[in-house]
Amino acid sequence: MKRSTLGLMICLVLSCTSDKFIDAAKYEGQEQLLTLNEFNRDGSKRQAPVIKKISPDSASVGNEFLAKIFIADSSLKITDAFYKCQSVQTPAVDTITHKVRGCTEQLLVKNDTIFIGFRPIETGLKEFPVITILTTDHDNIFRTYEYRFQYNVTR
């Protein structure tokens, strides 16, 4: 009996002295509000991930331009990617379909890499529309990050 009482007392002491976990993730039905882009789940500040791109510096008119975009941080997984997203009052993601509010134009994502391929038709310095990258972490928390890139089109 003494042993179980001592165990209970130790558990009570430890629970009183440990910091309580505050979950900053917010949900509306099956949607997660995208309020944690700059924060960890416990509310502490988070650094934005390093986003990298592999592509040629330029492309010729009519020839295919292919870009591969990925995140250098292995703790995040690219779940989906979109472009031409509209600004919304309350950004959120459907946790089942992975659709982000305001985003309709989806990009190809395979093996944690975004693939963008097209054939440019005009010469000059061009900018691809802003890409919204949807990620998940090991706790299955969704975050979005924006990415932009330019490319040069020659004859």
Side-chain angles (χ1 to χ4, degrees):
M1 185 93 155
K2 282 187 171 189
R3 212 176 219 178
S4 64
T5 305
L6 179 61
L8 178 61
M9 289 177 62
I10 290 172
C11 287
L12 287 173
V13 169
L14 288 175
S15 67
C16 289
T17 59
S18 67
D19 292 333
K20 293 202 177 208
F21 176 73
I22 298 172
D23 191 354
K26 305 288 183 226
Y27 296 87
E28 286 181 357
Q30 70 185 33
E31 290 186 319
Q32 179 198 315
L33 301 182
L34 292 169
T35 56
L36 293 178
N37 290 348
E38 298 175 11
F39 300 96
N40 289 310
R41 196 171 188 169
D42 65 2
S44 62
K45 191 77 171 158
R46 174 183 190 85
Q47 282 192 298
V50 175
I51 300 170
K52 296 194 174 197
K53 174 179 66 80
I54 299 173
S55 72
D57 293 334
S58 62
S60 299
V61 170
N63 289 334
E64 186 176 49
F65 176 84
L66 178 63
K68 297 176 186 178
I69 300 168
F70 60 96
I71 295 178
D73 181 354
S74 63
S75 70
L76 293 176
K77 180 180 182 334
I78 296 177
T79 304
D80 218 329
F82 306 89
Y83 68 104
K84 295 184 182 177
C85 294
Q86 303 299 314
S87 179
V88 294
Q89 188 172 7
T90 309
V93 60
D94 186 306
T95 58
I96 296 171
T97 64
H98 302 156
K99 300 302 178 208
V100 174
R101 282 187 194 168
C103 295
T104 56
E105 302 295 326
Q106 197 169 7
L107 294 166
L108 175 65
V109 176
K110 187 175 180 182
N111 297 328
D112 251 0
T113 303
I114 302 165
F115 292 88
I116 299 173
F118 56 92
R119 293 183 190 279
I121 57 173
E122 294 180 354
T123 61
L125 183 62
K126 306 293 179 184
E127 184 169 284
F128 194 83
V130 176
I131 299 167
T132 299
I133 301 172
L134 178 66
T135 66
T136 52
D137 64 12
H138 61 280
D139 288 330
N140 211 26
I141 297 297
F142 292 94
R143 292 179 178 82
T144 56
Y145 300 98
E146 290 186 348
Y147 183 72
R148 296 172 168 83
F149 70 90
Q150 293 181 331
Y151 57 96
N152 191 31
V153 181
T154 60
R155 288 241 172 248

